[in-house]
Amino acid sequence: GLRRMLHGEKILSLETRRFTSDGKILDIQLSSSTYKNHQGRLIGSIVIYRDVTEKKKIEEKLLESEERYRSAMEAVADPIIVYDNEGRVTYFNPAFSRVFKWSLAERINKKMDDFVPEENWPETKTMIDMVLAGQFFSGIETARYDRDGNIIPVSISGSSYKDKDNQVIGSVISLQDISERKQ
């Protein structure tokens, strides 16, 4: 970074580390610019150091939290599907793939309307309205198609998730295959 700066290059955001006077290490975001005299000769530089140590710690904790939730959802035996507020798939767990035979890669960012049998749309619309209103629902019995067109009876529970402004931005839906119980 120093070589680049001495050659007159602007540095907008360089992440580096620096020691404090008492020996602690800080994560620093460095920005710099040089200035020249009226003959165009480099005569100085302005360097701004921004301590981003806390920000880095928060980002690390957020990544750990995301990893913990992803691991938990992947370990659950029942299918789980996560939608954005437009009804597009943002995630589903391996149990969803096992039961319904779709891969996440083929359904990511797509709607799952073809997953709902026509006769099950009334209760599905009710569930959609509930999550969009920020409400939780549990144990609604209905049915869903798997990738091959087989009908699977399910019990569905779900809730919405919200952004920092408390606006609904999606839903997390859990489906329990109740085929054996129905037989």
Side-chain angles (χ1 to χ4, degrees), residues 96-111:
F96 187 94
S97 293
R98 180 179 39 76
V99 171
F100 296 103
K101 301 177 185 147
W102 274 292
S103 72
L104 181 57
E106 67 187 323
R107 296 312 299 227
I108 193 87
N109 296 320
K110 294 179 182 164
K111 292 192 173 207

Side-chain angles (χ1 to χ4, degrees), residues 30-114:
L30 178 145
S31 299
S32 73
S33 185
T34 56
Y35 55 94
K36 301 176 182 179
N37 65 13
H38 64 282
Q39 286 127 358
R41 203 169 117 212
L42 183 67
I43 59 169
S45 62
I46 299 169
V47 180
I48 300 169
Y49 291 92
R50 189 166 138 219
D51 181 356
V52 293
T53 306
E54 277 307 305
K55 180 182 172 218
K56 287 278 203 185
K57 286 179 185 172
I58 290 167
E59 287 172 352
E60 286 173 15
K61 293 238 181 269
L62 181 60
L63 285 173
E64 287 172 10
S65 175
E66 287 174 355
E67 178 63 21
R68 190 170 36 255
Y69 286 111
R70 186 192 60 77
S71 294
M73 288 186 29
E74 290 192 1
V76 173
D78 288 331
I80 295 175
I81 188 167
V82 180
Y83 295 104
D84 66 14
N85 64 349
E86 300 294 322
R88 294 178 300 246
V89 174
T90 60
Y91 171 82
F92 52 69
N93 68 349
F96 187 94
S97 293
R98 180 179 39 76
V99 171
F100 296 103
K101 301 177 185 147
W102 274 292
S103 72
L104 181 57
E106 67 187 323
R107 296 312 299 227
I108 193 87
N109 296 320
K110 294 179 182 164
K111 292 192 173 207
M112 291 289 291
D113 291 354
D114 54 340

Side-chain angles (χ1 to χ4, degrees), residues 7 12 33 80 87 93 106 119 128 131 163 165 169 176 179:
H7 284 86
L12 296 177
S33 185
I80 295 175
N93 68 349
E106 67 187 323
E119 63 271 15
I128 291 169
V131 294
D163 65 12
D165 299 319
I169 58 171
Q176 185 178 31
S179 301

Side-chain angles (χ1 to χ4, degrees), residues 22 100 115 153:
D22 60 355
F100 296 103
F115 168 63

Side-chain angles (χ1 to χ4, degrees), residues 111-137:
K111 292 192 173 207
M112 291 289 291
D113 291 354
D114 54 340
F115 168 63
V116 181
E118 191 63 40
E119 63 271 15
N120 298 109
W121 270 105
E123 66 267 23
T124 299
K125 285 186 184 352
T126 299
M127 288 184 272
I128 291 169
D129 290 344
M130 289 177 80
V131 294
L132 291 176
Q135 299 171 332
F136 169 80
F137 62 88

